[in-house]
Amino acid sequence: MSELRIEGLEAGVQGRTILAGIDLIVRSGEVHAIMGPNGSGKSTLSHVLMGKPGYRVTAGKVTLDGVDLIRLSPWERAQAGLFLAMQYPIEVPGVALVDVLEAAAVAKGRPADEVRNRVEAEAERIGFNPALLTRSLNVDLSGGEKKRNETLQLAVLEPKIAVLDELDSGLDVDALRACARRIERATQEFGLGVLAITHYRRLLTELRPDVVHVLVAGRIVASGGPELADELERTGYAAYRSEADQVGEGADRAKADQRTDPFADPFA
Ligand code: ADP
Ligand code: MG
C-alpha cells in the first residue's frame, strides 16, 4: 500500500503565491479528481509535485511512502514511484518512445526484453499505432496520439501514484475512453493511485473517482463524492468562488485574474 501525502503545501512561481495551502492524501487504488476554474492552480500543483524547475515550495510537505519528494529531482521522484501525464506532452526529436521506456525500466532493474514485449502489448491494448513506438517521442503526433502515448508510458512503468494533468484535453471520445479505461484498470492491476486533474466530468465517467476536490484560488474549498462532479457540471464554480473570496490572498489574485480575463463578463 502506497501513500502520497501532501500537507500544507504552499508554492509559487516568480515570487507569486499560487498554491495557498493544499492538504491531500492519495493511496494505492484510489482515484481523486481535482476540478477547478482556469488559473486556480491545477497545473501548478502537478508541476510542483513532479519538481518542474522554476516553482518554489514555500511551506508544507510532500511525501511518497515517507520519502520527502520536495528535495528530489524529477527523475528521482519518478524512481520513487511518481508519474506525471503532462497536459502538453513535450516533443523529443531523435529519441524513440521505446528507447525511453526501456532506459527507464532498466534503471529500475527490469530486463530490457521484458519491457519491449510489454510496450507492444500495452500499445495494442489502448490502440496506439505500433509504428509510432520507434519514431521520435511525440514529434508530429496528434493530440489523441500524444495522450495515448502518456497512457502507454504509465502502463509500462507501473508507478505507485500518477498525476494526470487534463488527460482529456485534445482527445477525441474514443481515445479518451481507451486511456481512461486503461488507467482505471491499472488501479486494480497494480494498485495505481490517481490524482486526475480535469475541467470536465466526461473523463470521470470511465475513470470513476472515489473523491472529487474543488480547487479555487490555490486551495481545496470542497471535497465530496462523484456527485460533486455532476453538480459542478450543472452549476459551475460560482458557489465556490465566493467561498474562496474569504480565504485571503489567493482570493485577491482570483479577482485580479478575472479582471484580466479577456472572456470575462464585463457586466459581472
Ligand atoms: P490551471 O491549471 O488551474 O488553469 P495554473 O496552475 O496553470 O492554473 O496557473 C495558476 C496561476 O499561476 C495562473 O494565474 C497563472 O497565470 C500563474 N502561473 C502559472 N505558471 C506561471 C509561470 N511560470 N509564471 C507566472 N505565472 C504563472
Ligand atoms: Mg492547467
Side-chain angles (χ1 to χ4, degrees), residues 65-110:
D65 293 339
V67 176
D68 178 5
L69 293 185
I70 299 299
R71 301 150 69 90
L72 303 182
S73 56
W75 68 268
E76 290 169 318
R77 298 181 197 209
Q79 282 212 333
L82 189 67
F83 181 93
L84 170 64
M86 287 183 270
Q87 182 170 3
Y88 304 107
I90 49 167
E91 299 184 357
V92 190
V95 179
L97 170 63
V98 66
D99 295 331
V100 171
L101 288 174
E102 205 177 291
V106 167
K108 280 185 80 181
R110 282 164 64 181

Short mmCIF file of all heavy atoms in Angstrom, two decimals, residues 65-110:
data_model
loop_
_atom_site.label_atom_id
_atom_site.label_comp_id
_atom_site.label_asym_id
_atom_site.label_seq_id
_atom_site.Cartn_x
_atom_site.Cartn_y
_atom_site.Cartn_z
N ASP A 65 5.28 7.45 0.37
CA ASP A 65 5.70 6.37 1.26
C ASP A 65 6.82 6.83 2.20
O ASP A 65 7.84 6.14 2.38
CB ASP A 65 6.14 5.15 0.45
CG ASP A 65 4.96 4.53 -0.29
OD1 ASP A 65 3.80 4.77 0.12
OD2 ASP A 65 5.19 3.82 -1.27
N GLY A 66 6.64 8.02 2.72
CA GLY A 66 7.58 8.54 3.71
C GLY A 66 8.79 9.24 3.13
O GLY A 66 9.53 9.91 3.84
N VAL A 67 9.01 9.10 1.80
CA VAL A 67 10.16 9.75 1.17
C VAL A 67 9.79 11.21 0.86
O VAL A 67 8.77 11.46 0.22
CB VAL A 67 10.55 9.03 -0.14
CG1 VAL A 67 11.67 9.77 -0.85
CG2 VAL A 67 10.92 7.58 0.13
N ASP A 68 10.63 12.14 1.30
CA ASP A 68 10.39 13.56 1.06
C ASP A 68 10.69 13.87 -0.41
O ASP A 68 11.83 13.82 -0.85
CB ASP A 68 11.33 14.37 1.98
CG ASP A 68 11.19 15.87 1.76
OD1 ASP A 68 10.32 16.29 0.97
OD2 ASP A 68 11.94 16.61 2.40
N LEU A 69 9.63 14.18 -1.17
CA LEU A 69 9.82 14.38 -2.62
C LEU A 69 10.41 15.74 -2.96
O LEU A 69 11.12 15.88 -3.95
CB LEU A 69 8.49 14.22 -3.36
CG LEU A 69 7.86 12.82 -3.38
CD1 LEU A 69 6.61 12.84 -4.25
CD2 LEU A 69 8.83 11.75 -3.88
N ILE A 70 10.08 16.73 -2.15
CA ILE A 70 10.44 18.11 -2.50
C ILE A 70 11.95 18.28 -2.70
O ILE A 70 12.39 19.09 -3.50
CB ILE A 70 9.93 19.09 -1.41
CG1 ILE A 70 8.40 19.03 -1.32
CG2 ILE A 70 10.37 20.52 -1.68
CD1 ILE A 70 7.67 19.41 -2.58
N ARG A 71 12.73 17.49 -1.96
CA ARG A 71 14.19 17.63 -2.07
C ARG A 71 14.76 16.87 -3.26
O ARG A 71 15.94 16.99 -3.56
CB ARG A 71 14.84 17.10 -0.79
CG ARG A 71 14.36 17.86 0.44
CD ARG A 71 14.39 16.96 1.66
NE ARG A 71 15.74 16.63 2.09
CZ ARG A 71 16.43 17.35 2.95
NH1 ARG A 71 15.89 18.43 3.49
NH2 ARG A 71 17.64 17.02 3.29
N LEU A 72 13.92 16.08 -3.94
CA LEU A 72 14.43 15.24 -5.03
C LEU A 72 14.27 15.92 -6.39
O LEU A 72 13.39 16.74 -6.58
CB LEU A 72 13.69 13.91 -5.05
CG LEU A 72 13.72 13.06 -3.77
CD1 LEU A 72 12.97 11.76 -3.99
CD2 LEU A 72 15.15 12.78 -3.35
N SER A 73 15.13 15.50 -7.34
CA SER A 73 14.97 15.98 -8.71
C SER A 73 13.85 15.18 -9.37
O SER A 73 13.45 14.12 -8.87
CB SER A 73 16.28 15.82 -9.47
OG SER A 73 16.67 14.47 -9.41
N PRO A 74 13.32 15.68 -10.51
CA PRO A 74 12.19 14.99 -11.14
C PRO A 74 12.45 13.50 -11.41
O PRO A 74 11.58 12.66 -11.17
CB PRO A 74 11.98 15.76 -12.45
CG PRO A 74 12.44 17.15 -12.12
CD PRO A 74 13.59 16.97 -11.17
N TRP A 75 13.65 13.15 -11.90
CA TRP A 75 13.88 11.73 -12.20
C TRP A 75 13.92 10.89 -10.92
O TRP A 75 13.49 9.73 -10.93
CB TRP A 75 15.14 11.53 -13.06
CG TRP A 75 16.45 11.83 -12.37
CD1 TRP A 75 17.12 13.01 -12.37
CD2 TRP A 75 17.25 10.92 -11.60
NE1 TRP A 75 18.28 12.90 -11.64
CE2 TRP A 75 18.39 11.64 -11.16
CE3 TRP A 75 17.11 9.57 -11.24
CZ2 TRP A 75 19.38 11.05 -10.38
CZ3 TRP A 75 18.10 8.98 -10.46
CH2 TRP A 75 19.22 9.72 -10.03
N GLU A 76 14.38 11.50 -9.83
CA GLU A 76 14.38 10.76 -8.56
C GLU A 76 12.95 10.56 -8.05
O GLU A 76 12.62 9.53 -7.46
CB GLU A 76 15.22 11.49 -7.51
CG GLU A 76 16.71 11.45 -7.82
CD GLU A 76 17.51 12.40 -6.92
OE1 GLU A 76 17.07 13.55 -6.68
OE2 GLU A 76 18.60 11.98 -6.47
N ARG A 77 12.09 11.55 -8.31
CA ARG A 77 10.68 11.41 -7.92
C ARG A 77 10.04 10.29 -8.74
O ARG A 77 9.23 9.52 -8.23
CB ARG A 77 9.93 12.73 -8.14
CG ARG A 77 10.50 13.86 -7.28
CD ARG A 77 9.74 15.15 -7.49
NE ARG A 77 10.53 16.27 -6.99
CZ ARG A 77 10.03 17.39 -6.50
NH1 ARG A 77 8.72 17.57 -6.47
NH2 ARG A 77 10.81 18.35 -6.07
N ALA A 78 10.42 10.24 -10.04
CA ALA A 78 9.89 9.17 -10.90
C ALA A 78 10.33 7.81 -10.38
O ALA A 78 9.55 6.87 -10.31
CB ALA A 78 10.35 9.38 -12.34
N GLN A 79 11.60 7.72 -9.98
CA GLN A 79 12.09 6.44 -9.46
C GLN A 79 11.44 6.09 -8.13
O GLN A 79 11.29 4.90 -7.81
CB GLN A 79 13.61 6.47 -9.32
CG GLN A 79 14.29 6.28 -10.66
CD GLN A 79 15.62 5.55 -10.55
OE1 GLN A 79 16.29 5.61 -9.52
NE2 GLN A 79 16.02 4.88 -11.60
N ALA A 80 11.03 7.12 -7.39
CA ALA A 80 10.35 6.86 -6.12
C ALA A 80 8.92 6.37 -6.36
O ALA A 80 8.26 5.91 -5.43
CB ALA A 80 10.35 8.12 -5.26
N GLY A 81 8.43 6.50 -7.63
CA GLY A 81 7.12 5.95 -7.94
C GLY A 81 6.06 6.96 -8.34
O GLY A 81 4.88 6.63 -8.43
N LEU A 82 6.49 8.21 -8.61
CA LEU A 82 5.53 9.23 -9.03
C LEU A 82 5.58 9.38 -10.56
O LEU A 82 6.66 9.33 -11.15
CB LEU A 82 5.86 10.56 -8.37
CG LEU A 82 4.83 11.69 -8.54
CD1 LEU A 82 3.53 11.35 -7.80
CD2 LEU A 82 5.39 13.01 -8.01
N PHE A 83 4.43 9.57 -11.17
CA PHE A 83 4.35 9.72 -12.62
C PHE A 83 3.48 10.91 -12.94
O PHE A 83 2.47 11.13 -12.29
CB PHE A 83 3.71 8.46 -13.23
CG PHE A 83 3.58 8.49 -14.73
CD1 PHE A 83 4.58 7.95 -15.53
CD2 PHE A 83 2.47 9.04 -15.34
CE1 PHE A 83 4.48 7.98 -16.92
CE2 PHE A 83 2.35 9.07 -16.74
CZ PHE A 83 3.35 8.54 -17.52
N LEU A 84 3.89 11.69 -13.95
CA LEU A 84 3.06 12.81 -14.39
C LEU A 84 2.70 12.64 -15.86
O LEU A 84 3.59 12.54 -16.71
CB LEU A 84 3.80 14.15 -14.20
CG LEU A 84 3.13 15.37 -14.84
CD1 LEU A 84 1.78 15.67 -14.22
CD2 LEU A 84 4.04 16.59 -14.74
N ALA A 85 1.40 12.59 -16.16
CA ALA A 85 0.94 12.66 -17.55
C ALA A 85 0.72 14.14 -17.83
O ALA A 85 -0.15 14.78 -17.23
CB ALA A 85 -0.34 11.87 -17.74
N MET A 86 1.52 14.70 -18.72
CA MET A 86 1.53 16.15 -18.92
C MET A 86 0.34 16.64 -19.73
O MET A 86 -0.14 15.96 -20.63
CB MET A 86 2.83 16.57 -19.63
CG MET A 86 4.04 16.49 -18.74
SD MET A 86 5.51 17.08 -19.58
CE MET A 86 6.08 15.56 -20.32
N GLN A 87 -0.10 17.87 -19.39
CA GLN A 87 -1.20 18.48 -20.15
C GLN A 87 -0.76 18.68 -21.60
O GLN A 87 -1.52 18.42 -22.52
CB GLN A 87 -1.58 19.82 -19.51
CG GLN A 87 -2.74 20.50 -20.22
CD GLN A 87 -3.28 21.70 -19.46
OE1 GLN A 87 -2.75 22.08 -18.41
NE2 GLN A 87 -4.32 22.30 -19.97
N TYR A 88 0.48 19.13 -21.77
CA TYR A 88 1.03 19.31 -23.10
C TYR A 88 2.31 18.49 -23.21
O TYR A 88 3.40 18.99 -22.89
CB TYR A 88 1.35 20.79 -23.36
CG TYR A 88 0.14 21.68 -23.16
CD1 TYR A 88 0.05 22.53 -22.05
CD2 TYR A 88 -0.91 21.67 -24.07
CE1 TYR A 88 -1.06 23.34 -21.87
CE2 TYR A 88 -2.02 22.47 -23.88
CZ TYR A 88 -2.09 23.31 -22.78
OH TYR A 88 -3.20 24.11 -22.59
N PRO A 89 2.20 17.21 -23.63
CA PRO A 89 3.39 16.36 -23.69
C PRO A 89 4.46 16.96 -24.59
O PRO A 89 4.14 17.52 -25.65
CB PRO A 89 2.85 15.05 -24.29
CG PRO A 89 1.39 15.05 -23.97
CD PRO A 89 0.98 16.49 -24.04
N ILE A 90 5.70 16.88 -24.14
CA ILE A 90 6.77 17.53 -24.91
C ILE A 90 7.29 16.62 -26.03
O ILE A 90 7.26 15.39 -25.92
CB ILE A 90 7.96 17.95 -24.01
CG1 ILE A 90 8.39 16.78 -23.12
CG2 ILE A 90 7.63 19.18 -23.19
CD1 ILE A 90 9.72 17.01 -22.46
N GLU A 91 7.74 17.28 -27.09
CA GLU A 91 8.30 16.54 -28.22
C GLU A 91 9.81 16.42 -28.03
O GLU A 91 10.47 17.38 -27.64
CB GLU A 91 8.00 17.29 -29.53
CG GLU A 91 6.51 17.43 -29.77
CD GLU A 91 6.16 18.08 -31.11
OE1 GLU A 91 7.10 18.48 -31.84
OE2 GLU A 91 4.97 18.17 -31.41
N VAL A 92 10.33 15.21 -28.27
CA VAL A 92 11.77 14.99 -28.11
C VAL A 92 12.32 14.40 -29.40
O VAL A 92 12.32 13.18 -29.59
CB VAL A 92 12.07 14.05 -26.92
CG1 VAL A 92 13.57 14.02 -26.63
CG2 VAL A 92 11.29 14.44 -25.67
N PRO A 93 12.76 15.27 -30.32
CA PRO A 93 13.28 14.78 -31.60
C PRO A 93 14.47 13.86 -31.39
O PRO A 93 15.33 14.13 -30.53
CB PRO A 93 13.71 16.06 -32.33
CG PRO A 93 13.00 17.17 -31.64
CD PRO A 93 12.83 16.73 -30.21
N GLY A 94 14.51 12.77 -32.14
CA GLY A 94 15.67 11.88 -32.13
C GLY A 94 15.66 10.84 -31.03
O GLY A 94 16.58 10.03 -30.94
N VAL A 95 14.63 10.86 -30.18
CA VAL A 95 14.57 9.87 -29.09
C VAL A 95 13.26 9.09 -29.22
O VAL A 95 12.18 9.68 -29.16
CB VAL A 95 14.64 10.55 -27.71
CG1 VAL A 95 14.56 9.50 -26.60
CG2 VAL A 95 15.93 11.34 -27.57
N ALA A 96 13.37 7.78 -29.42
CA ALA A 96 12.17 6.97 -29.63
C ALA A 96 11.53 6.58 -28.30
O ALA A 96 12.22 6.35 -27.31
CB ALA A 96 12.52 5.71 -30.42
N LEU A 97 10.21 6.49 -28.31
CA LEU A 97 9.46 6.13 -27.10
C LEU A 97 9.94 4.81 -26.51
O LEU A 97 10.16 4.69 -25.31
CB LEU A 97 7.97 6.02 -27.45
CG LEU A 97 7.09 5.42 -26.36
CD1 LEU A 97 7.09 6.30 -25.12
CD2 LEU A 97 5.67 5.22 -26.86
N VAL A 98 10.14 3.84 -27.39
CA VAL A 98 10.51 2.51 -26.88
C VAL A 98 11.86 2.56 -26.17
O VAL A 98 12.08 1.89 -25.15
CB VAL A 98 10.46 1.46 -28.02
CG1 VAL A 98 11.51 1.73 -29.06
CG2 VAL A 98 10.52 0.05 -27.48
N ASP A 99 12.77 3.43 -26.65
CA ASP A 99 14.09 3.56 -26.00
C ASP A 99 13.98 4.26 -24.65
O ASP A 99 14.67 3.91 -23.69
CB ASP A 99 15.06 4.32 -26.91
CG ASP A 99 15.36 3.55 -28.19
OD1 ASP A 99 15.30 2.30 -28.15
OD2 ASP A 99 15.63 4.19 -29.23
N VAL A 100 13.08 5.25 -24.59
CA VAL A 100 12.86 5.95 -23.32
C VAL A 100 12.36 4.97 -22.26
O VAL A 100 12.87 4.92 -21.14
CB VAL A 100 11.81 7.08 -23.49
CG1 VAL A 100 11.41 7.66 -22.14
CG2 VAL A 100 12.34 8.17 -24.39
N LEU A 101 11.36 4.19 -22.65
CA LEU A 101 10.76 3.27 -21.69
C LEU A 101 11.74 2.18 -21.28
O LEU A 101 11.80 1.79 -20.11
CB LEU A 101 9.48 2.66 -22.28
CG LEU A 101 8.34 3.65 -22.37
CD1 LEU A 101 7.14 3.04 -23.09
CD2 LEU A 101 7.92 4.10 -20.98
N GLU A 102 12.53 1.72 -22.25
CA GLU A 102 13.50 0.68 -21.94
C GLU A 102 14.54 1.21 -20.95
O GLU A 102 14.86 0.56 -19.96
CB GLU A 102 14.18 0.25 -23.24
CG GLU A 102 14.73 -1.16 -23.17
CD GLU A 102 15.32 -1.55 -24.51
OE1 GLU A 102 14.54 -1.74 -25.47
OE2 GLU A 102 16.56 -1.65 -24.60
N ALA A 103 15.02 2.43 -21.21
CA ALA A 103 16.03 3.01 -20.32
C ALA A 103 15.46 3.21 -18.91
O ALA A 103 16.13 2.91 -17.91
CB ALA A 103 16.51 4.35 -20.89
N ALA A 104 14.21 3.69 -18.85
CA ALA A 104 13.60 3.94 -17.54
C ALA A 104 13.40 2.63 -16.77
O ALA A 104 13.67 2.55 -15.57
CB ALA A 104 12.25 4.64 -17.72
N ALA A 105 12.97 1.61 -17.49
CA ALA A 105 12.69 0.34 -16.82
C ALA A 105 13.98 -0.36 -16.40
O ALA A 105 14.06 -0.91 -15.30
CB ALA A 105 11.87 -0.56 -17.74
N VAL A 106 14.99 -0.30 -17.27
CA VAL A 106 16.27 -0.94 -16.94
C VAL A 106 16.89 -0.24 -15.72
O VAL A 106 17.47 -0.89 -14.84
CB VAL A 106 17.23 -0.91 -18.17
CG1 VAL A 106 18.65 -1.28 -17.77
CG2 VAL A 106 16.71 -1.87 -19.24
N ALA A 107 16.71 1.09 -15.64
CA ALA A 107 17.23 1.83 -14.49
C ALA A 107 16.58 1.37 -13.19
O ALA A 107 17.13 1.53 -12.11
CB ALA A 107 17.00 3.33 -14.69
N LYS A 108 15.39 0.80 -13.31
CA LYS A 108 14.71 0.28 -12.12
C LYS A 108 14.93 -1.23 -11.96
O LYS A 108 14.27 -1.88 -11.15
CB LYS A 108 13.21 0.57 -12.20
CG LYS A 108 12.87 1.99 -11.80
CD LYS A 108 11.38 2.21 -11.77
CE LYS A 108 10.74 1.70 -10.48
NZ LYS A 108 9.27 1.92 -10.48
N GLY A 109 15.83 -1.79 -12.78
CA GLY A 109 16.21 -3.19 -12.61
C GLY A 109 15.34 -4.19 -13.35
O GLY A 109 15.36 -5.38 -13.05
N ARG A 110 14.59 -3.71 -14.36
CA ARG A 110 13.78 -4.66 -15.14
C ARG A 110 14.52 -5.04 -16.41
O ARG A 110 15.22 -4.22 -17.01
CB ARG A 110 12.43 -4.03 -15.49
CG ARG A 110 11.47 -4.04 -14.31
CD ARG A 110 10.30 -3.11 -14.51
NE ARG A 110 9.44 -3.48 -15.62
CZ ARG A 110 8.35 -2.78 -15.97
NH1 ARG A 110 8.04 -1.69 -15.33
NH2 ARG A 110 7.60 -3.19 -16.97
#
